[in-house]
């Protein structure tokens, strides 16, 4: 593997970006520029290559949206500080993508397919379940998102009380639950159905109806509303 010290100064990421523009950098070079330094036993170029090769099915940079600190700390020489830096890059990318997606919404979340597309890329590659609530205005337009839980979606994990408080704080008029199935199969489990019923009952009591519960699979989704369960 080529090390940064072996690269001609004018071909190093920072100098190359100055000469040719930031778009001229490869994924590895761009990540090297952001990380700035390597870690014990390897320079920044070698580290960037390792990060991009961590999970082949996520196609390099896509892994930055989904890898955890624990994932990065399994790499030789990567400690907590560098792992935190890597997950921060991923979180910034995720927030930029979601802001752009929300800005470009042309219709309200009354269309389950649109809501599913909004969450699809962020959730479909995760190795554990995440349950989100999308808070909506009177026209079912997106206001904000709240991460409710990580891990199996069941009534013992999801705090319905905290969800209702978050919905009130967001001044939501309606809400949608969204979570992923790491298996790729979006068909709801018995726990999914129990959580949906519990949230639906509580949401009705405070006057912020549950509009839908969407389960994200691998390029597929299941809408409780479309299947007549809400």
């Amino acid at each position: 593997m080529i090390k940064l010290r072996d690269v001609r100064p004018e071909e190093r990421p920072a100098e190359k970006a100055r000469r040719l523009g930031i778009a001229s950098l490869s994924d590895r070079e761009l990540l090297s520029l952001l990380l700035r330094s390597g870690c014990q036993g390897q320079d920044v170029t070698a580290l960037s290559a390792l990060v991009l090769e961590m999970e082949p099915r996520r196609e390099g940079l896509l892994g930055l949206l989904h890898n955890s600190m624990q994932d990065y700390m399994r790499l030789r020489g990567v400690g907590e500080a560098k792992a935190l830096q890597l997950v921060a890059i991923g979180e910034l990318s995720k927030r930029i993508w979601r802001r752009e997606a929300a800005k470009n919404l042309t219709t309200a979340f009354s269309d389950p397919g649109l809501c599913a597309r909004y969450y699809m890329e962020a959730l479909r590659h995760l190795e554990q379940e995440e349950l989100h609530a999308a808070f909506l205005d009177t026209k079912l337009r997106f206001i904000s998102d709240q991460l409710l839980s990580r891990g199996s979606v069941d009534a013992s994990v999801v705090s319905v009380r905290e969800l209702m408080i978050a919905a009130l704080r967001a001044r939501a008029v309606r809400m949608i639950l969204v979570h992923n199935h790491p298996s790729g199969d979006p068909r709801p489990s018995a726990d999914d159905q129990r959580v949906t019923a519990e949230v639906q009952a509580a949401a009705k009591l405070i006057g912020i109806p549950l509009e839908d519960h969407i389960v994200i699979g691998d390029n597929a989704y299941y809408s409780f509303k479309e299947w007549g369960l809400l």
Side-chain angles (χ1 to χ4, degrees):
M1 182 178 294
I2 298 175
K3 295 185 177 180
L4 189 61
R5 66 171 179 265
D6 299 325
V7 178
R8 292 181 301 171
E10 66 272 18
E11 290 301 320
R12 292 175 183 174
E15 291 304 318
K16 185 177 176 181
R18 291 188 186 100
R19 288 190 303 108
L20 303 175
I22 199 72
S24 68
L25 300 185
S26 66
D27 291 348
R28 178 179 54 79
E29 290 169 330
L30 188 59
L31 187 55
S32 296
L33 185 62
L34 290 170
L35 290 175
R36 300 183 63 185
S37 64
C39 54
Q40 183 180 356
Q42 54 197 354
D43 69 6
V44 68
T45 302
L47 174 61
S48 297
L50 282 177
V51 168
L52 294 175
E53 293 166 2
M54 280 179 64
E55 181 56 76
R57 72 186 179 92
R58 288 178 180 159
E59 300 175 357
L61 286 176
L62 189 58
L64 290 169
L65 296 177
H66 307 289
N67 293 330
S68 66
M69 285 185 64
Q70 290 71 28
D71 292 329
Y72 292 122
M73 289 174 71
R74 294 188 188 103
L75 295 176
R76 181 174 58 85
V78 176
E80 187 175 283
K82 189 61 70 177
L84 185 61
Q85 190 177 5
L86 285 161
V87 294
I89 292 170
E91 182 61 24
L92 278 172
S93 302
K94 199 180 298 184
R95 292 185 188 190
I96 291 169
W97 180 83
R98 281 192 174 171
R99 292 277 179 90
E100 192 64 22
K103 186 177 72 174
N104 290 331
L105 289 177
T106 55
T107 59
F109 273 3
S110 55
D111 175 6
L114 180 64
C115 185
R117 286 194 297 275
Y118 177 76
Y119 282 94
M120 182 68 68
E121 199 53 49
L123 296 182
R124 71 186 182 98
H125 294 292
L126 295 180
E127 294 177 359
Q128 62 179 339
E129 292 188 16
E130 284 191 0
L131 177 64
H132 291 253
F135 299 128
L136 312 174
D137 68 11
T138 55
K139 295 183 178 180
L140 300 181
R141 292 176 301 199
F142 181 81
I143 297 173
S144 63
D145 167 277
Q146 175 92 8
L147 174 62
L148 303 176
S149 69
R150 284 193 175 95
S152 296
V153 173
D154 59 52
S156 65
V157 174
V158 179
S159 171
V160 176
R161 177 178 178 274
E162 292 301 319
L163 169 57
M164 298 307 133
I165 291 171
L168 290 168
R169 285 176 176 165
R171 298 184 179 180
V173 177
R174 292 179 182 270
M175 69 179 88
I176 295 175
L177 292 179
V178 184
H179 85 278
N180 64 300
H181 280 177
S183 67
D185 182 351
R187 288 176 295 182
S189 66
D191 280 334
D192 296 340
Q193 295 179 45
R194 281 196 292 270
V195 168
T196 304
E198 187 173 336
V199 171
Q200 183 183 26
K204 186 177 181 180
L205 284 175
I206 68 167
I208 305 178
L210 180 64
E211 183 71 16
D212 201 351
H213 185 174
I214 293 174
V215 186
I216 301 294
D218 190 4
N219 277 326
Y221 74 92
Y222 182 103
S223 163
F224 276 64
K225 182 178 180 180
E226 286 184 339
W227 282 86
L229 300 178
L230 270 177

